[in-house]
Amino acid sequence: NAGVTQTPKFQVLKTGQSMTLQCAQDMNHEYMSWYRQDPGMGLRLIHYSVGAGITDQGEVPNGYNVSRSTTEDFPLRLLSAAPSQTSVYFCASTNLGSNQPQHFGDGTRLSIL
Amino acid sequence: DQQVKQNSPSLSVQEGRISILNCDYTNSMFDYFLWYKKYPAEGPTFLISISSIKDKNEDGRFTVFLNKSAKHLSLHIVPSQPGDSAVYFCAADFGNEKLTFGTGTRLTIIP
C-alpha cells in the first residue's frame, strides 16, 4: 500500500531558486492538500484541491503555486525560494464529505540558504 | 490567532498508567475533531476522531472526550505503552476537510 508518496525527502536550495515538491496518492481521493510544519506552530494549510482542475488557497499560500491535472498528483511549486520557506512540507489526501481522516505522506524537509 | 491550542508542549507518563492529552479550541463552528500521532521523520498518522454531535469516542486503548461548552477535548490512552511515545496533534475542521492543527504535545512513556 503506497498511500501518499512525497518526493524528494530532503532538499537544500539557494535563495531565488525554484523547485517542485511532488505528491502522489493511489487511493483515488478527491481531496488533496499541502501543509507546512514549523517549530512551535503545528501544521498550516498552504493550498488544497477538491478535484482535478480545482485548487484553492489555504492559510499560508504566498510564495507557492499548485496545480491538479490528475486525481493522483498534486505538485507544490516554489517559484523563487526564500529562507522563510525553510520548513517540513506534508501532503495529504482524503475522500470528500465523508468525515474521513486525511492520510499524510512522510514529508519533504526543505532548507533554503 | 491560534484557534486550536495544545498548552502542554510535553508530557511524561509511566508505562501502564493513563496518559491524558488536552486540547482547547476557540471557534464553536468546528464540526469534527481529530487526533494525529507523529513519529520523527514520518508523516502524521490518524489516531481517533469525534464529531461535534458526540461527547465520547473510544477505540481500544484510546478514548477522546469532547466538552463543547468548555470548547475542550482530551485524548486518554490507557494503559500507556512505550510505543505511544510520539508527538500528538489535535486538529479540527468545519466539515470541509480543511484542518486547523494545534502545536502538538510530545508524549514520553517511561518504562
Side-chain angles (χ1 to χ4, degrees), chain A residues 31 35 37 40-43 45 48 90 94-102 104-106, chain B residues 2 31-32 34 36 38 41-44 46 51 89 93 95-99 101-103:
Chain A
Y31 184 89
Y35 292 84
Q37 184 191 7
M41 300 192 73
L43 282 77
L45 182 64
Y48 65 96
F90 292 100
T94 188
N95 286 316
L96 277 172
S98 57
N99 271 355
Q100 292 293 316
Q102 295 194 32
F104 283 82
D106 283 339
Chain B
Q2 193 78 16
D31 184 56
Y32 185 54
L34 308 91
Y36 281 86
K38 187 182 181 304
E42 295 184 9
F46 170 72
S51 166
F89 289 98
D93 78 22
N96 60 1
E97 288 78 31
K98 292 166 65 176
L99 294 175
F101 280 86
T103 53

Side-chain angles (χ1 to χ4, degrees), chain B residues 45-81:
Chain B
T45 301
F46 170 72
L47 196 56
I48 192 168
S49 63
I50 187 166
S51 166
S52 61
I53 62 173
K54 296 187 175 182
D55 55 18
K56 178 183 175 181
N57 189 28
E58 192 171 355
D59 184 1
R61 297 187 297 116
F62 304 93
T63 303
V64 56
F65 295 93
L66 176 62
N67 182 335
K68 284 183 290 185
S69 61
K71 296 189 180 69
H72 176 83
L73 66 157
S74 61
L75 174 68
H76 293 211
I77 305 173
V78 57
S80 299
Q81 298 175 352

